[in-house]
Amino acid sequence: MDWEREWERLNPYQREAVTDENKACLVSANVGSGKTTVLTAKILYLHEVKHVSYRYMVVLTFTNKAASEIRERLVRADPSVTPEETENFGTFHGVALGLLKKSLPVETLGYTKDFMVMEPDEELELAHALIAEKKLKIKYKNRLRKRLAEAERVSAAGDFGVAGGQDDLEILAGLLTEEKLRRNKMTFSDLMKNACLLMAKEEGEEERAANIQWVIVDEVQDCDGKQLEFIDCFMAEGAKLFAVGDPNQVIYSWRGSAFHLFYTLKTRYQAAELSLPVNYRSCNEILEAARCFQQNGGALEGIRGSGEKIVVKNHYDSFQEACYLTDRIRELQKQGIPFDEIAIFYRLQSQSKVLEDVFSKNGIPYEVAVKTGIHEIPVLEWLLRLLRFLADPADRAAAVFVLSSREYGVGISAKKAEKLAEEGWAGVCGRKEASESGSEKAAVPGLFERMVSFERNSAEIKDTNAFYEYFDLDCSLKPNAASYGDDKANVRHFLDRMFAFMNAKDLKLPEGLREFLNSAALYGTSRELLSEADGAGEACVKMMTLHASKGLEFSHVFIIGVNYGLIPLRTKGIDGEDEERRLFFVGITRARNYLELSWYTNPDTFGVMAGESRYIRMIPSELVQGQEPERQTGTASLQELRRQVQMAKENGERLEEKDVEKADGMKEMEEKTPNIESASAEILVRHETYGCGKVVEEDDTMITVEFDGYGRKEFIKAFSCLEILNGQ
DNA sequence: ACGCGAAATATTTTT
DNA sequence: TATTTCGCGT
């Protein structure tokens, strides 16, 4: 490979980081400063110049996406790398799983080598089953997942008893651990915990860990305690550390990432501190604005020069905004900006709904960045349970789910399925008594029997078709159902993936299935497991939360709802507020060329204040291209109509609109709003389900509409989806 | 089983 | 600030 060429591309700061010789080196990498480039270059440098085998490096990332990006770049620069050499390149959890499977003595903890990864939903189900079985008293059962995670963090931090549980949460946690061990399963956090535990033990460590000479970490600022400990295990064996991260992009501290992490690492390993100040991504105006939200004082230098000013806009409400964005995106597209270079960021997932509605009505192709995982597709969720049962016939909950599923099961109640599963158990244990409960079995189609006898027959099932036919899946997927086509495609695609995985690893069915499920648990959120039918294709406008925007970049970025109460979100303490600021920083630094911020005059969500967020006023005005509030054309929302009426009436009698400082702008507006009936004789509206109707009464919060055929209906204004028909 | 006041919680999400 | 849930009283 051509190391010289790679070297040429680096700036002096990047070079310094790549060649750093310290035992531990912490690189404070600013946004858009070529973090991944440095990471890849470091790996290549160690290999090419220092002659360190890839095998002696551990490369840790937070997400699968980051892991595959590094691997891709590595292969591009050095096509000779093999997957075997880079076994320890991956996510923290992936690498931990690999170590546990290959070299760590899991037996000493009571596990066997073929343990399985337990997905979060499975753990939650198990917890609920245990609560029912042991009659535990647990408060806030619907927030159990959060409470358990919290309890685990607290106990990991060593504050025993501080949790001071008023319920049986701690007992439950204990039982859960026991049960997981009994079932030979580990959750994501168990993977980290157990890997640390076993690596810290002395026996056998010299042979294994002493080989690791370098630990290379991406996005260190997101590490939690366990991940830090994992790194520490390698360090204890004499490995060197090269970690890259950005303290300004700590936006997941609510998930347990340690905020003082840079400081901790610096003192623990006397790490050298370097920085990558040069931002290659954004134009000056955007960087200038970003600096206002930087908390960690490192310099942020741009090299791109000036571009467009930042645009700040004010919309009446989110509906108006969505209409405006529709036009704006069309306009941009006419100027040659492709859809997939445009992104819209917001604080809350729920904010995407209005945009989705308006965009799909107006034919703007969009994609909401939600994790389109397996679990959101019912048929795959069902299949997954089936596979889980096949991998572990002791998993009764999985069997019950499969059989009693309304959509794909055999149409029996959960209770009956439970009973059957229990009897089936007896059947499996002592097969001779099979004829005993003949009447029960005859009533149930063959699905269950096939599930139970799968293990015996699995050797003959070598591909998707064989599997599909063995279970007569056409029968389960119900050819008459509307979703049959999609379901079948999804199932077959998933099975294809499974068999491809097994063939690639040269595994047969029973073990191969377990391996595949483990891998699906860790990498399953990626789109690869889903059918290509949905997703792939034309360029789309991307819509996502500010959190989800981290690590991405776009030419044009719109951040919407920059109001008090949303950005920043109303938070508990000062530290939470700091994180909101970092979140905003992350958002604005995604933009390469154009950034537009908008806020609502009349937010339609409770708890959100009218008026621009303090954050907008923190941006120096010379960077901002001022803009008058947009006058609405075309379809008017109810609120907009009200505004127009008000404007007409108070013509000349100017409102004190300069008084932006006031947070109670919304209240003020409502007080000054005249009753709509005094200004307009008859207003016709349309409702999604009731059709057309006439407004008969309206006050500040409620509106009453008379519909043909439905009579009078009352709506709360903030929630009503009424379209004005004669608003102009 | 139901009603009431007090208390707690809300948002972001990868593996 | 609004909604949900808990726990205690009937």
Side-chain angles (χ1 to χ4, degrees), chain A residues 127-397:
Chain A
H128 278 118
L130 284 171
I131 291 170
E133 192 190 327
K134 307 276 179 184
K135 307 220 184 309
L136 298 175
K137 280 212 172 119
I138 300 288
K139 285 178 175 180
Y140 299 106
K141 277 205 202 69
N142 49 344
R143 276 162 237 162
L144 188 58
R145 173 176 270 160
K146 263 183 188 169
R147 293 199 65 206
L148 279 170
E150 178 72 21
E152 200 182 313
R153 260 208 310 274
V154 169
S155 84
D159 308 332
F160 300 103
V162 177
Q166 294 293 311
D167 58 5
D168 296 335
L169 193 71
E170 262 169 274
I171 300 172
L172 175 66
L175 285 171
L176 256 180
T177 312
E178 242 170 66
E179 191 61 18
K180 282 185 290 189
L181 186 63
R182 207 178 63 74
R183 296 188 182 202
N184 208 21
K185 291 193 168 184
M186 294 189 201
T187 59
F188 291 133
S189 85
D190 291 336
L191 290 173
M192 297 303 302
K193 202 166 57 189
N194 293 335
C196 288
L197 217 58
L198 293 170
M199 284 172 74
K201 279 199 176 173
E202 281 190 306
E203 46 184 342
E205 75 182 323
E206 305 87 22
E207 283 178 50
R208 191 206 62 257
N211 287 336
I212 299 301
Q213 296 173 14
W214 279 91
V215 182
I216 293 162
V217 186
D218 185 23
E219 307 262 31
V220 257
Q221 81 279 357
D222 283 337
C223 282
D224 63 16
K226 266 193 223 85
Q227 288 156 335
L228 218 55
E229 202 189 322
F230 192 58
I231 295 171
D232 201 45
C233 291
F234 292 107
M235 295 297 282
E237 309 298 329
K240 288 185 170 185
L241 173 68
F242 183 76
V244 180
D246 183 358
N248 286 304
Q249 293 191 67
V250 176
I251 57 172
Y252 286 115
S253 56
W254 49 272
R255 226 159 52 180
S257 78
F259 180 59
H260 306 298
L261 187 129
F262 265 69
Y263 175 79
T264 311
L265 284 178
K266 205 169 69 182
T267 50
R268 188 183 291 176
Y269 306 120
Q270 289 87 49
E273 267 192 298
L274 297 174
S275 67
L276 304 175
V278 184
N279 177 294
Y280 293 94
R281 182 185 295 151
S282 311
C283 63
N284 266 338
E285 288 75 5
I286 292 168
L287 287 182
E288 193 86 25
R291 286 192 194 102
C292 307
F293 300 93
Q294 244 187 325
Q295 290 180 319
N296 207 284
L300 179 54
E301 299 169 17
I303 56 158
R304 280 204 42 204
S306 289
E308 279 185 76
K309 284 189 171 185
I310 292 162
V311 174
V312 174
K313 278 206 188 267
N314 161 30
H315 301 286
Y316 194 74
D317 59 19
S318 57
F319 177 75
Q320 296 298 311
E321 179 178 66
C323 294
Y324 160 79
L325 283 171
T326 306
D327 295 342
R328 187 79 180 89
I329 288 166
R330 283 250 171 72
E331 199 179 295
L332 286 172
Q333 202 215 4
K334 265 184 214 147
Q335 290 168 22
I337 313 291
F339 283 131
D340 59 355
E341 278 294 348
I342 302 170
I344 302 168
F345 303 155
Y346 36 82
R347 180 62 238 260
L348 304 176
Q349 295 272 23
S350 58
Q351 288 175 268
S352 72
K353 203 182 174 304
V354 195
L355 293 169
E356 287 183 74
D357 290 347
V358 174
F359 283 5
S360 50
K361 244 180 222 161
N362 289 287
I364 302 277
Y366 67 88
E367 193 178 67
V368 183
V370 281
K371 55 273 121 150
T372 326
I374 301 164
H375 302 290
E376 269 96 311
I377 298 174
V379 72
L380 290 185
E381 181 68 4
W382 180 82
L383 180 66
L384 189 67
R385 305 299 179 114
L386 174 61
L387 295 176
R388 263 187 208 163
F389 175 81
L390 301 179
D392 175 17
D395 192 342
R396 201 165 66 179

Side-chain angles (χ1 to χ4, degrees), chain A residues 468-481:
Chain A
Y468 200 92
E469 274 162 35
Y470 175 80
F471 283 106
D472 193 13
L473 287 179
D474 258 336
C475 174
S476 292
L477 300 188
K478 312 227 163 46
N480 298 327

Side-chain angles (χ1 to χ4, degrees), chain A residues 563-634:
Chain A
N563 285 62
Y564 276 119
L566 261 182
I567 301 176
L569 196 66
R570 192 197 153 281
T571 47
K572 283 172 194 170
I574 308 289
D575 40 346
E577 167 89 37
D578 280 353
E579 182 139 320
E580 292 293 311
R581 217 167 90 185
R582 292 192 292 269
L583 190 57
F584 193 60
F585 173 84
V586 168
I588 57 186
T589 53
R590 301 304 98 194
R592 285 201 297 271
N593 306 310
Y594 179 89
L595 176 65
E596 182 168 325
L597 310 170
S598 60
W599 52 279
Y600 310 121
T601 312
N602 186 20
D604 29 27
T605 322
F606 293 123
V608 180
M609 305 296 186
E612 78 215 285
S613 162
R614 186 178 102 237
Y615 288 0
I616 285 180
R617 271 175 271 141
M618 281 167 67
I619 301 171
S621 55
E622 64 266 25
L623 299 173
V624 176
Q625 179 191 330
Q627 206 91 32
E628 284 300 305
E630 274 287 300
R631 186 60 35 81
Q632 184 56 30
T633 53

